[in-house]
C-alpha cells in the first residue's frame, strides 16, 4: 500500500506530451506542464526533418494539424532547452509515463541536449485511496475545468487537479 502524502508535501509538477501518432515512428508535437505554483507552460514543436510519421487518428484526438506545427512550432532544440530551463533539477510526473518518457527521450535525442529533470510516473504518488477515487474525481475536474480540448497543458492541469482533489482532504487542498 502506498502511504498517504503528508499535508505539507508539495503539489506535483505534471507534464503531458501530445504526439504525431500512437505507435512506432511517432514523435512529440506538443509539451504542456503545470508547475506546483499552478503556472502552466505549453510548447508546440516543429517536427524535425526526419520526423515524417503522421497519424490522422491522433490528429483527430489532439486537433493539431501538421501545418500548424510547421508554421508556429518551436525548433526541437529550443523546446528541449526551454524544458530544461523551466524544470531543471525537478521531478515532474506523468499519468502516461511510458509514452511521455519515450517521446521526451526522442525530443532530447534529436536536439542533442541532455535532459536535466526527472520524469516519474504519477502512480508512484497515488495512495490506494486516490486510486479508488481517481476516475470519478477526474470526471468532476473535467466538468469544473470546462475545457474538453485534448491539449497538453489542459491535460496536465486536469491530472494535477485530479491528484489534489483525490486526496483525503482534496476539497480543501484545491
Amino acid at each position: 500500500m502506498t502511504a498517504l502524502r503528508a499535508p505539507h508535501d508539495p503539489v506535483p509538477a505534471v507534464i503531458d506530451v501530445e504526439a504525431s501518432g500512437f505507435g512506432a515512428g511517432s514523435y512529440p508535437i506538443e509539451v504542456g506542464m503545470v508547475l506546483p505554483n499552478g503556472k502552466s507552460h505549453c510548447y508546440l514543436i516543429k517536427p524535425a526533418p526526419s520526423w515524417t510519421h503522421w497519424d490522422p487518428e491522433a490528429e483527430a484526438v489532439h486537433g493539431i494539424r501538421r501545418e500548424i506545427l510547421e508554421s508556429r512550432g518551436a525548433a526541437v532544440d529550443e523546446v528541449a532547452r526551454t524544458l530544461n530551463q523551466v524544470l531543471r533539477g525537478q521531478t515532474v510526473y506523468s499519468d502516461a509515463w511510458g509514452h511521455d518518457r519515450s517521446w521526451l527521450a526522442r525530443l532530447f535525442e534529436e536536439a542533442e541536449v541532455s535532459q536535466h529533470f526527472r520524469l516519474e510516473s504519477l502512480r508512484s504518488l497515488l495512495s490506494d485511496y486516490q486510486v479508488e477515487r481517481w476516475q470519478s474525481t477526474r470526471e468532476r475536474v473535467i466538468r469544473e475545468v470546462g475545457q474538453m480540448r485534448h491539449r497538453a497543458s489542459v491535460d496536465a492541469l486536469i491530472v494535477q487537479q485530479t491528484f489534489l482533489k483525490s486526496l483525503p482532504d482534496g476539497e480543501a487542498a484545491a
Side-chain angles (χ1 to χ4, degrees):
M1 180 169 138
T2 307
L4 291 177
R5 292 166 51 89
H8 64 277
D9 283 352
V11 175
V14 176
I15 195 167
D16 185 71
V17 181
E18 298 299 332
S20 67
F22 303 113
S26 64
Y27 50 87
I29 63 166
E30 183 182 49
V31 178
M33 68 190 98
V34 179
L35 302 176
N37 65 6
K39 186 172 182 180
S40 66
H41 299 263
C42 197
Y43 310 100
L44 287 174
I45 304 166
K46 183 176 185 171
S50 64
W51 292 359
T52 58
H53 173 78
W54 192 259
D55 185 342
E57 290 180 29
E59 181 180 331
V61 173
H62 53 62
I64 303 169
R65 295 188 336 269
R66 186 174 171 99
E67 296 78 29
I68 295 295
L69 299 172
E70 294 288 349
S71 65
R72 297 186 191 161
V76 170
D77 61 329
E78 180 183 336
V79 175
R81 286 184 177 84
T82 302
L83 289 173
N84 275 341
Q85 180 181 4
V86 173
L87 297 172
R88 183 173 302 277
Q90 294 185 52
T91 299
V92 63
Y93 295 89
S94 167
D95 69 335
W97 180 82
H99 295 293
D100 291 349
R101 179 179 60 101
S102 66
W103 289 321
L104 286 173
R106 188 147 190 203
L107 173 77
F108 280 90
E109 182 179 319
E110 181 68 32
E112 297 180 348
V113 172
S114 296
Q115 183 176 309
H116 296 293
F117 59 92
R118 225 175 111 141
L119 181 68
E120 291 289 337
S121 171
L122 183 74
R123 180 63 179 97
S124 68
L125 296 179
L126 299 179
S127 67
D128 291 342
Y129 180 92
Q130 287 175 288
V131 170
E132 291 172 14
R133 287 152 185 79
W134 189 264
Q135 190 56 39
S136 61
T137 304
R138 184 177 184 280
E139 290 168 7
R140 188 176 87 233
V141 167
I142 289 170
R143 285 192 305 273
E144 290 170 1
V145 168
Q147 295 187 11
M148 291 308 298
R149 69 183 194 144
H150 184 79
R151 296 291 296 270
S153 61
V154 173
D155 289 354
L157 174 65
I158 289 168
V159 170
Q160 187 187 64
Q161 288 300 304
T162 301
F163 174 84
L164 293 172
K165 292 184 179 203
S166 67
L167 290 167
D169 60 345
E171 292 301 325

